[in-house]
Amino acid sequence: MKIAAALVFCMLAAPLAKAADPILLGVSGPLTGPNAQYGAQWKMGFDLALDQINGAGGINGRPLQYVFEDSQSDPRQSVTIAQKFVNDPAIVAELGDFSSPASMAASPIYQRAGLVQFGFTNSHPDFTKGGDYMWSTTVNQSDEQPALAHFAVKQIGMKRLAVIHLNTDWGRISKDIFVKAAKEDGAEVVATEGFLPDEKDYRSTLVRVRDAKPDGIIIIAYYADGALIARQLRSAGIKLPVAAVSSVYSPKFLELGGDAVEGIYTKANFFPDDPRPEVQAFVKIYQAKYGKDPDTFSAVAYDTVILMSEVIKQYGTDRKAIRDGLASIKDVPNVIYGKVTFDPQTRRVLGAKTINLVVKNGKFTLWDGTKPVVN
């Protein structure tokens, strides 16, 4: 529902009971463009959560809904969307954007207006430092990159690393944290190569990577770029173990990469074969609605709407009350983490964790500890 339509609905419904008015969450994220698949996965998680919440009577008798504005994960568009959301009194909190650069460009607007910006896929270490209205359930890069480095060096066995990274603020920060952690784990980083968001031809980059003689490659990118890099690595005849950051964990990575992504390692904080009861319960209802397995981005979207509904239920719809509620609420049931409680200082989840995965037979699977054989 568009914001204008939502306001018309509210005005038409004014003579009716106030309890029937919807509670609106604003969503800024990609529905078109190179990251559109992430937005599609979000929507499936959002809708599944709303089925449950509204099917059980909503929040104190009011339905919960969301207004999804397409930012293409572009900082310029996320800023415009932020201005629209903060000026709409019907929006009680904002979710997104997908990428940290897009979210952080809009953060000052949300902070000044006192509207929670819940960046549930924002892993940049500085995202929640933008103000006390910035919150996240994402494992930030200060934690994720050392974990990926440890996986690559200590568990997979890479010793001479070449790092290929997206040349954005998020990509550079992630690369710097990874390189520092990998060196601390005893690895040598023999090359670091950045690429631009719209770059499609990596041949010259891969020549430099090959000439550095690494024994393993690290990809810090989103699924589309990661898949294309994997394909061009194969075309260039570079047959080395590859580990990638968790943002490649998407069905689209498998679809776009095909055989070239076989054997690539990654980490995630959700996996549908995880035997924990909360995961299996979620997978069951997701499969019943959509006929396929969920992934991290559907799961985290589902968890976010469930979390926000609990905060609103307990603390109300006032924007400041929602911010204060996030600091106070404890042990909210959560698919990914089991239960969620925030550190009110960092405004991130306490005790976040990740899972080691590898692409095997065209699917993401739990890594069984088998190390790669390098030809």
Side-chain angles (χ1 to χ4, degrees):
M1 183 184 293
K2 296 293 184 183
I3 296 177
L7 292 175
V8 170
F9 172 83
C10 290
M11 289 188 288
L12 291 174
L16 302 177
K18 187 70 174 177
D21 293 345
I23 298 168
L24 294 181
L25 300 171
V27 181
S28 175
L31 291 174
T32 59
N35 294 316
Q37 179 64 23
Y38 293 116
Q41 290 161 250
W42 282 9
K43 287 190 72 174
M44 290 188 284
F46 291 157
D47 291 344
L48 186 59
L50 292 182
D51 285 350
Q52 291 184 248
I53 294 162
N54 293 331
I59 300 174
N60 301 322
R62 297 175 63 184
L64 182 64
Q65 299 175 5
Y66 64 89
V67 178
F68 201 135
E69 292 286 344
D70 181 14
S71 69
Q72 296 188 334
S73 211
D74 180 338
R76 293 167 298 181
Q77 295 191 49
S78 68
V79 166
T80 300
I81 292 167
Q83 291 166 339
K84 182 183 293 186
F85 283 162
V86 300
N87 290 324
D88 183 349
I91 301 294
V92 301
E94 186 271 344
L95 313 180
D97 205 284
F98 167 68
S99 73
S100 294
S103 288
M104 292 168 71
S107 291
I109 297 170
Y110 292 115
Q111 181 65 28
R112 285 195 300 268
L115 180 66
V116 164
Q117 182 189 31
F118 199 93
F120 59 98
T121 59
N122 294 159
S123 59
H124 193 296
D126 292 341
F127 167 67
T128 58
K129 296 177 184 177
D132 57 350
Y133 279 85
M134 280 73 248
W135 295 76
S136 181
T137 42
T138 307
V139 178
N140 76 49
Q141 293 303 319
S142 293
D143 296 320
E144 180 171 350
Q145 292 303 332
L148 180 63
H150 189 81
F151 183 30
V153 177
K154 295 296 187 181
Q155 296 176 274
I156 299 172
M158 301 179 185
K159 299 299 181 188
R160 291 173 52 84
L161 306 177
V163 181
I164 304 172
H165 66 92
L166 185 60
N167 196 9
T168 62
D169 186 40
W170 170 80
R172 291 188 295 272
I173 287 285
S174 299
K175 177 262 296 181
D176 290 344
I177 297 170
F178 177 88
V179 167
K180 181 175 183 293
K183 289 178 178 178
E184 289 173 352
D185 276 341
E188 182 182 1
V189 178
V190 296
T192 58
E193 294 287 341
F195 65 91
L196 297 174
D198 57 354
E199 197 167 336
K200 301 301 178 187
D201 186 346
Y202 307 107
R203 284 176 295 183
S204 59
T205 294
L206 298 183
V207 167
R208 292 191 294 273
V209 165
R210 182 195 62 203
D211 290 348
K213 296 182 170 53
D215 65 10
I217 292 172
I218 305 299
I219 297 175
I220 298 174
Y222 300 130
Y223 68 79
D225 295 326
L228 186 55
I229 290 167
R231 282 187 172 277
Q232 293 187 25
L233 280 168
R234 176 167 286 202
S235 298
I238 300 174
K239 299 178 180 179
L240 294 171
V242 177
V245 72
S246 65
S247 48
V248 305
Y249 178 47
S250 166
K252 276 290 186 181
F253 182 66
L254 305 176
E255 178 186 327
L256 296 172
D259 291 343
V261 301
E262 187 74 12
I264 289 183
Y265 302 89
T266 189
K267 295 182 74 69
N269 52 17
F270 169 82
F271 188 63
D273 289 342
D274 189 326
R276 289 184 295 127
E278 57 268 32
V279 173
Q280 290 310 303
F282 169 68
V283 169
K284 184 176 180 180
I285 61 172
Y286 189 95
Q287 289 174 334
K289 183 174 177 69
Y290 298 115
K292 58 184 178 181
D293 283 343
D295 70 354
T296 293
F297 298 98
S298 294
V300 73
Y302 171 89
D303 275 344
T304 297
V305 172
I306 296 294
L307 170 67
M308 295 305 297
S309 73
E310 286 300 313
V311 172
I312 294 167
K313 188 181 299 180
Q314 293 186 35
Y315 298 94
T317 59
D318 177 78
R319 291 176 172 184
K320 181 177 182 296
I322 291 172
R323 181 203 65 180
D324 295 344
L326 286 165
S328 301
I329 202 163
K330 297 186 185 304
D331 295 335
V332 180
N334 188 274
V335 172
I336 290 178
Y337 300 123
K339 292 181 179 179
V340 159
T341 299
F342 289 94
D343 179 337
Q345 300 303 312
T346 65
R347 293 177 293 285
R348 291 194 183 264
V349 174
L350 292 167
K353 59 190 177 190
T354 57
I355 300 167
N356 295 334
L357 302 176
V358 63
V359 180
K360 188 175 182 181
N361 298 323
K363 297 180 180 179
F364 289 106
T365 63
L366 288 172
W367 182 59
D368 63 5
T370 302
K371 295 187 177 182
V373 176
V374 181
N375 296 325

